[in-house]
Amino acid sequence: MESGNVTTPFGRRPMTLGMLASQAAAREIEPGQSIDKWKLYRALCEAKPLLGITDRALAILNALLSFYPKGELSEENGLVVFPSNAQLSLRAHGMAEQTIRRHLATLIEAGLLIRKDSPNGKRYARKEQGGEIREAFGFSLAPLLVRAEEIERLAAEVVAERLHLQRLRERLTLCRRDVAKLIEMALEEGAAGDWSGVHLHFRGVVERLPRSPSAEQVAAVLDELEMLREEITNQLEMQVKTQNRSGNAQHYERHIQNSNPQSITELEPASEKKQGATADDRLGGRAEPTVRIQKDEEKNGRVPATSSAPAANAALKSFPLGLVLQACPEIAAYGPQGSVGTWRELMAAAVVVRSMLGVSPSAYEQACEIMGPENAATVMACVLERAGHINSAGGYLRDLTRRAEKGEFAIGPMLMALARSNSPMRVKAG
C-alpha cells in the first residue's frame, strides 16, 4: 500500500472531501498489484462518458503516462510523475498551459489523479546517492491502479451499449426498408386500403427520431415500425389469399364451360391476331358493340372524343388523389379555383401546366392514350414538381410515354420519392 500521510494542495487551492477520499483509496493498493498503463488508458478512453472526462483531459493523462518510466503501473516502481507544465505542453501537442491546468483539475476532480505538492509547489524528485528516487512531488497515478477493475468494467458497459445501439439501428434500417417497399408494392398493385394514410403515418414515425438517438429512442421507434410492418403484411396476405380463392373458383368455372362439346367458342373460327389489335379484339370481338356505341356518341357530340387506350394501360394503375397532391403540392395552384380537390380538377390543372411548360397537345394526348388520363395528369404534376431539373418537359413526357407503352415505366417510385421529399414532417423538421 502507498505510504504517506494526507497531502493538501499548495497555495490557494482548497482541500476537498473528494481529494481526501481519493488519497484514502490510494492507500489500499494490494501488494504486487500492477497493470499495463496503455491497456488501462484504452479502457479510460472507452469509459470516458461514464467517468465525466473529455478528450482534452485524456490527452493530458496520456502525456502524464508517457513520463512514467515503466510499462506496468505498480507501487514498486513508484506512482508519482513530476513533469513541468512546459514539458506537458510539448507532449500534449502544444496545448496552452492555462488549458493544461484546467484539465489537470478535471482529472483530479474525477478521482483519477492525486496532487502531491512540494513545499514550494514545484514538481521534482529527491534521489538517493545511487540515483534511486527517494521522494517525488507531482501527480500520483495511484488512483488509476486502485480503480483499474472499475475502469475496465465501465469500459465494457460502454462497449456493450454501443453494440446494442448498433444492432438496434441495423434492425431499424431493415424494418424501414421493409415497410417502405411493402407500401410501394401495395400502391403499385392497387391493393385495397388507405395506403396514402399508412405512408404518412410511417413517415411521421421515422422522422420522430432525433439526429443522434439513444438506444431507448431507437427501440421505441423500432417497436412501432415492427407492429406497422406486421399489420401491413397481414392485410396484404389476406388480400392475396382472397384473390387466390377467387382465381381458383373462376378457373374451375371456365373448366366446366370449356368441357361442353357444343361450346360456341369452339365452333367459331379462331380470329387472327392482327398487328395493333386490342385485347378485346382478340377475345372474339366481344368489345365491338361498346366501341361502336362510343364512336356513335362521339360523332353526335354527347361525349368528348377520346382514343381507346392500348392494353398496356392495364399495367399502370392510378394512385390515390391524396398521395398525388402530397407528392406534388405545386399543381394545386393551377386548379380551376386555385386548388385541386377532385380528379377532374387535377386533369384541368394538368392541361394548364402542359401549356405553361411548353408540352405540345399531341404529346399530352398520346400520354393520355397510353397511360390513361388520371395517370397522365399525375405524371404532369410530377414533371411540374421537378421542372427545375428537366431541360425539355415535352421530350421528357414523350420518353416516359414510350417507356410506359413498352411496360418499362412505373409511376409509383417517382411518386413515392416526391412524397418523401415533400413530407410535412420533413418540411417541418427543415
Side-chain angles (χ1 to χ4, degrees):
M1 52 188 291
E2 192 177 64
S3 60
N5 298 320
V6 173
T7 60
T8 57
F10 172 78
R12 297 181 180 180
R13 289 192 293 266
M15 182 68 178
T16 65
L17 289 175
M19 294 180 184
L20 186 62
S22 297
Q23 293 182 31
R27 290 195 290 272
E28 300 300 326
I29 298 175
E30 298 179 0
Q33 183 179 355
S34 65
I35 190 170
D36 183 275
K37 63 180 182 181
W38 297 122
K39 178 182 177 182
L40 181 61
Y41 178 75
R42 287 192 292 271
L44 279 167
C45 292
E46 293 286 359
K48 68 177 181 178
L50 300 181
L51 292 171
I53 53 178
T54 62
D55 296 340
R56 306 293 294 278
L58 283 173
I60 296 299
L61 185 58
N62 180 285
L64 285 173
L65 288 173
S66 70
F67 284 102
Y68 191 77
K70 303 292 184 178
E72 297 274 333
L73 288 178
S74 65
E75 194 173 20
E76 287 76 11
N77 297 324
L79 291 171
V80 177
V81 290
F82 41 89
S84 66
N85 284 344
Q87 291 174 316
L88 277 176
S89 177
L90 289 175
R91 297 200 185 182
H93 309 290
M95 191 181 296
E97 291 192 14
Q98 183 178 0
T99 306
I100 289 174
R101 286 193 292 270
R102 185 170 68 251
H103 290 302
L104 284 171
T106 300
L107 291 169
I108 292 169
E109 290 175 4
L112 300 176
L113 290 179
I114 295 176
R115 284 186 184 276
K116 192 174 180 182
D117 288 344
S118 66
N120 61 1
K122 300 294 184 180
R123 301 171 200 154
Y124 59 89
R126 290 198 180 97
K127 298 183 178 180
E128 301 285 355
Q129 291 183 354
E132 296 180 356
I133 296 176
R134 179 167 60 87
E135 189 174 15
F137 299 98
F139 297 102
S140 173
L141 304 174
L144 295 178
L145 188 58
V146 173
R147 300 180 62 184
E149 292 185 2
E150 176 196 354
I151 291 169
E152 290 179 343
R153 176 177 55 80
L154 293 175
E157 290 179 7
V158 171
V159 171
E161 180 67 19
R162 184 169 64 244
L163 291 176
H164 176 59
L165 178 59
Q166 181 181 349
R167 294 189 185 101
L168 284 175
R169 293 174 74 98
E170 288 174 353
R171 289 175 56 194
L172 179 64
T173 299
L174 292 174
C175 191
R176 284 179 59 178
R177 184 182 69 190
D178 293 344
V179 173
K181 293 203 171 185
L182 284 171
I183 294 174
E184 184 175 342
M185 181 268 292
L187 288 168
E188 284 288 339
E189 298 293 333
D194 182 16
W195 299 110
S196 176
V198 173
H199 178 258
L200 284 175
H201 173 65
F202 165 62
R203 296 308 308 172
V205 173
V206 170
E207 292 171 6
R208 201 164 60 225
L209 272 177
R211 184 177 295 274
S212 300
S214 64
E216 292 76 13
Q217 291 171 321
V218 175
V221 171
L222 177 60
D223 289 342
E224 195 166 350
L225 286 184
E226 285 180 340
M227 290 178 60
L228 180 61
R229 179 177 61 184
E230 185 176 357
E231 291 174 2
I232 293 173
T233 304
N234 290 340
Q235 184 174 351
L236 292 175
E237 286 179 349
M238 288 176 61
Q239 294 188 35
V240 169
K241 291 178 181 177
T242 303
Q243 291 176 1
N244 287 341
R245 286 196 296 267
S246 176
N248 290 337
Q250 292 177 4
H251 174 75
Y252 182 66
E253 290 174 1
R254 287 197 299 270
H255 177 72
I256 294 176
Q257 291 173 359
N258 292 339
S259 64
N260 184 359
Q262 295 183 355
S263 172
I264 298 177
T265 56
E266 290 181 359
L267 295 177
E268 290 180 352
S271 60
E272 296 179 356
K273 296 182 181 179
K274 298 180 181 179
Q275 185 177 3
T278 64
D280 290 332
D281 294 334
R282 292 195 295 270
L283 293 176
R286 281 175 285 178
E288 184 180 354
T290 305
V291 175
R292 188 184 299 116
I293 293 171
Q294 182 180 358
K295 290 181 178 179
D296 291 341
E297 291 179 346
E298 291 172 1
K299 189 180 298 182
N300 295 332
R302 286 195 291 264
V303 295
T306 57
S307 299
S308 58
N313 290 357
L316 289 177
K317 297 180 175 61
S318 60
F319 292 83
L321 180 61
L323 178 61
V324 176
L325 294 178
Q326 176 205 338
C328 310
E330 291 188 13
I331 198 165
Y334 299 91
Q337 302 296 330
S339 63
V340 171
T342 64
W343 277 109
R344 183 178 296 274
E345 292 176 350
L346 178 67
M347 289 186 280
V351 173
V352 177
V353 170
R354 172 201 67 72
S355 176
M356 182 188 72
L357 295 179
V359 178
S360 65
S362 61
Y364 187 64
E365 182 180 353
Q366 186 182 16
C368 291
E369 292 176 357
I370 300 300
M371 304 180 189
E374 292 88 353
N375 285 326
T378 300
V379 171
M380 206 68 244
C382 294
V383 172
L384 173 65
E385 205 68 27
R386 301 188 69 251
H389 305 280
I390 298 173
N391 294 328
S392 172
Y396 184 67
L397 181 62
R398 287 188 183 277
D399 179 63
L400 293 182
T401 302
R402 282 193 297 269
R403 290 168 56 193
E405 189 174 16
K406 297 177 182 179
E408 299 174 353
F409 169 64
I411 301 176
M414 178 171 63
L415 199 62
M416 295 298 291
L418 289 173
R420 284 192 291 271
S421 63
N422 291 327
S423 170
M425 294 291 182
R426 183 180 297 275
V427 174
K428 184 177 179 180

